[in-house]
Amino acid sequence: METQQIYSEQELVEALKDHINKAYKYLYLHYRGSLYNVIIQIIPDTETANDVLQEVFISVWKNVDKYDPEKGRLYTWLLNVTRNTAINKTRSKIYKSSQKNDSISNYVNDIDKKITVQQNINHIGLRKEVSRLKDDLKAVLELSYFNGFTQEEIARILNIPLGTVKTRLRRAVMELRKQFV
């Protein structure tokens, strides 16, 4: 039986940049669940969500050299890649067309699936920590990360300047980091 390699974040990043297969296997095994939960929040269809998850790991494989540890943790970068990939999928013509052509029976169990995902997010404590933020920070974070809106869309929804949205998102993420470090 093969023993599982344990990586520090720095070791993992170096191994990923060297395209070491064991490092990608480790990354997949340890991060797929939380990344999938981000995707399913934006795309409730499990088949499409699984496709997006695969696209995320392909993107990581191709673009890991763009990751800069000085700008943030690997997990934060992975979340951003995942979120952006999922949002891009929802904006694609093929996805929009498939949503128009789906029958109502495809969505019968979606409510149950969303409840399960909500419980998973609550299980890791993310929702609880977000609920502790100030209302202005919580509003932009929920619209961005849990509902998949762009910063421009959030500015329109909340009727605030785009720069304010960006500042609040940055402050919210910094506050959350303090809770999880």
Side-chain angles (χ1 to χ4, degrees):
M1 180 172 224
E2 184 180 327
T3 59
Q4 178 69 33
Q5 168 82 31
I6 305 288
Y7 293 94
S8 70
E9 184 170 304
Q10 182 180 358
E11 291 169 337
L12 180 60
V13 170
E14 289 173 12
L16 293 172
K17 287 184 178 187
D18 290 337
H19 294 291
I20 296 173
N21 287 335
K22 286 184 181 182
Y24 279 93
K25 181 178 179 180
Y26 178 90
L27 182 77
Y28 181 78
L29 292 173
H30 288 84
Y31 291 89
R32 71 176 176 218
S34 60
L35 299 180
Y36 182 79
N37 281 336
V38 170
I39 296 167
I40 207 76
Q41 288 287 316
I42 299 168
I43 302 172
D45 173 46
T46 56
E47 187 176 331
T48 305
N50 283 322
D51 290 344
V52 170
L53 183 63
Q54 182 177 356
E55 288 176 34
V56 167
F57 281 99
I58 291 170
S59 179
V60 169
W61 174 267
K62 291 179 178 178
N63 299 303
V64 71
D65 289 328
K66 294 179 183 177
Y67 167 68
D68 182 0
E70 296 201 9
K71 291 184 179 178
R73 298 185 58 142
L74 176 64
Y75 182 68
T76 306
W77 182 73
L78 290 170
L79 286 176
N80 285 329
V81 169
T82 302
R83 186 176 153 276
N84 291 340
T85 304
I87 290 170
N88 288 344
K89 183 65 151 188
T90 64
R91 292 178 179 162
S92 72
K93 288 181 182 179
I94 294 170
Y95 180 80
K96 287 179 182 178
S97 174
S98 73
Q99 295 304 296
K100 291 177 184 174
N101 296 330
D102 277 353
S103 69
I104 193 87
S105 63
N106 288 344
Y107 295 97
V108 171
N109 296 322
D110 279 353
I111 293 172
D112 291 336
K113 289 176 191 173
K114 282 193 174 193
I115 290 170
T116 303
V117 171
Q118 289 298 112
Q119 290 169 342
N120 290 340
I121 287 175
N122 288 333
H123 180 69
I124 64 171
L126 185 59
R127 283 275 190 202
K128 183 179 177 184
E129 294 303 323
V130 170
S131 71
R132 292 181 180 170
L133 294 173
K134 288 194 243 174
D135 288 341
D136 59 338
L137 301 179
K138 181 172 38 174
V140 294
L141 194 65
E142 286 182 349
L143 287 170
S144 177
Y145 287 95
F146 296 127
N147 296 326
F149 289 106
T150 65
Q151 292 175 348
E152 292 82 8
E153 291 168 333
I154 295 168
R156 282 194 303 270
I157 291 168
L158 297 177
N159 198 25
I160 58 176
L162 178 60
T164 303
V165 171
K166 291 179 179 187
T167 301
R168 287 181 184 174
L169 276 173
R170 191 175 323 111
R171 281 192 9 231
V173 169
M174 289 169 54
E175 289 297 318
L176 285 176
R177 277 188 189 149
K178 291 177 188 175
Q179 302 304 320
F180 287 103
V181 174

